[in-house]
Amino acid sequence: MISLQNQIVLITGASSGIGTACARVFAAAGAKLILAARRWERLQQLADLLSKDIHTEIHLLQLDVRDRAAVEAAISSLPPSWSDIDILINNAGLSRGLDKLHEGSFEDWEEMIDTNIKGLLYLTRYVVPGMVKRDRGHVVNIGSIAGHQTYPNGNVYCGTKAAVRAISEGLKQDLLGTPIRVTSVDPGMVETEFSEVRFHGDTERAKKVYQGVTPLTPDDVADVIFFCVTRSPHVNINEVVLMPVDQASATLVNRRT
Ligand code: NDP
Ligand code: 8X3
C-alpha cells in the first residue's frame, strides 16, 4: 500500500457513496482526513468506524457547500494542525429530477447549479491559495460522463458536469508554473444514493437504474482517485473517464433483465 502518512485530505460529500469510499481508501493509506457534508450523524458514524478500525486522525466539518460564507468560515477556522490541506477532493454533488428542460423545476436547477458548480468553486477558491503558498497540493474534481455527453432529460445536470470539466481545465491552466496538480475523475454509472436523490426519495425508481447491470461501486471510483493522487509528483492525470463494462455511453446500457 502506498503511504500518504500525514497528508491532509479534505473530502466533500463524505457522508455517502463515493466520498465515504474515498475516506476509507485514504484512511487506509495513513492520511489525515477532513470530512465534510451536511449530515452530521453520518459523518460521526464514519469517523467512529475509521478511528476504531484504522486509527485515522479525523476532523469533521458540517458544511453545506452552497453557503459561501460557511465555506469561508470552515476553511479559515481550521485548527493549525489541520489547515495545510494537501489534497482537496471536490466530490459533493447531486442530480435532481430527470425532466425535459422546458418542463423542469427551477428549484432542482438551482440546487444542482449551486452545489455542483458554485460549491465546488467556493471550496477551490478558499483552499487553493494555501496550496499555492505552500507550493504543493492536488485538486480532484468529481465530474461525470454527463460532462462529456448530454442525454435526454439530463440537461441541467449535464450542464453542471460540463462546467466542472471546463473548471478543471481552467484551474490546471491557471496553476501552470506551480507544482499543484488538477484531476477530473468522470464516472459513468455508480451505485450510490445518487439516483434516490435524483428521484427525490423514490427508491423503487432509483433501484431500476441499476437493474440487470453490474454498475461501478464507490470503491471502484475511490480506487481510481487514489491512483491519480499517488503518481510521481511530476505526473498530472488530467482526466479519467470510467464506466462499467455494462455501459458504453450515458444511454447505452447492457441490461440482462
Ligand atoms: P451520493 O448521493 O451517495 O453522495 C453525494 C454526497 O454529496 C453526499 O455525501 C452528500 O452529503 C453530499 N452533498 C450533496 N449536497 C451537498 C451540499 N449542499 N453540501 C455538502 N455536501 C453535499 O452520490 P455519489 O456518491 O454518487 O455522488 C458523489 C459525486 O459523484 C457527485 O458529484 C456526483 O455528481 C458524482 N457522480 C456520481 C455518479 C453516480 O452514478 N453515482 C456518476 C458520476 C458522477 P449530505 O447530503 O450529507 O450533505
Ligand atoms: C452520474 C452518471 O449518467 O447518471 O453523473 O449522469 S449519469
Side-chain angles (χ1 to χ4, degrees):
M1 179 54 134
I2 297 169
S3 170
L4 286 179
Q5 207 68 42
N6 296 325
Q7 295 231 21
I8 299 177
V9 183
L10 167 51
I11 304 168
T12 66
S15 60
S16 172
I18 296 168
T20 296
C22 285
R24 283 196 300 264
V25 168
F26 283 86
K32 288 173 64 174
L33 302 181
I34 304 175
L35 304 178
R38 293 166 301 180
R39 285 172 291 177
W40 183 248
E41 265 183 28
R42 288 276 199 109
L43 288 180
Q44 277 184 321
Q45 280 164 8
L46 177 61
D48 288 348
L49 206 75
L50 294 176
S51 346
K52 205 161 43 167
D53 290 355
I54 327 182
H55 307 293
T56 317
E57 280 185 72
I58 295 174
H59 184 83
L60 298 183
L61 290 179
Q62 186 171 29
L63 182 65
D64 185 332
V65 298
R66 295 172 297 178
D67 183 341
R68 180 159 73 84
V71 175
E72 181 181 21
I75 301 302
S76 65
S77 63
L78 282 170
S81 58
W82 285 97
S83 61
D84 292 354
I85 295 163
D86 296 293
I87 299 168
L88 166 63
I89 304 180
N90 272 321
N91 164 73
L94 79 183
S95 65
R96 283 290 196 195
L98 194 62
D99 306 302
K100 291 185 190 302
L101 187 71
H102 56 282
E103 294 167 359
S105 143
F106 292 106
E107 253 178 40
D108 286 351
W109 295 356
E110 274 158 23
E111 193 174 0
M112 289 187 279
I113 292 166
D114 289 350
T115 310
N116 301 358
I117 307 179
K118 290 166 74 179
L120 176 142
L121 284 171
Y122 298 154
L123 264 298
T124 305
R125 183 65 182 84
Y126 289 120
V127 171
V128 172
M131 291 181 171
V132 172
K133 216 178 285 164
R134 292 185 295 278
D135 239 2
R136 65 168 201 273
H138 197 147
V139 178
V140 180
N141 290 333
I142 308 306
S144 167
I145 59 165
H148 297 256
Q149 44 192 244
T150 303
Y151 50 86
N153 303 323
N155 44 66
V156 175
Y157 177 70
C158 297
T160 65
K161 290 300 183 178
V164 170
R165 199 173 166 208
I167 289 163
S168 299
E169 198 180 347
L171 184 64
K172 175 78 182 86
Q173 292 167 1
D174 294 342
L175 288 169
L176 190 65
T178 77
I180 297 151
R181 302 189 278 184
V182 182
T183 300
S184 182
V185 173
D186 302 350
M189 190 184 275
V190 191
E191 190 163 7
T192 63
E193 292 173 17
F194 177 86
S195 294
E196 212 179 308
V197 172
R198 166 167 262 174
F199 300 129
H200 294 278
D202 183 340
T203 46
E204 285 314 304
R205 193 172 172 199
K207 263 193 231 151
K208 288 197 182 112
V209 173
Y210 310 106
Q211 213 161 38
V213 296
T214 305
L216 296 174
T217 66
D219 289 340
D220 295 326
V221 182
D223 195 34
V224 168
I225 295 168
F226 187 76
F227 176 84
C228 293
V229 303
T230 52
R231 297 308 87 206
S232 296
H234 68 286
V235 177
N236 191 96
I237 299 183
N238 294 34
E239 190 171 88
V240 181
V241 180
L242 68 154
M243 53 178 86
V245 173
D246 276 341
Q247 185 173 28
S249 77
T251 50
L252 263 178
V253 176
N254 175 46
R255 292 189 197 276
R256 279 175 287 275
T257 50

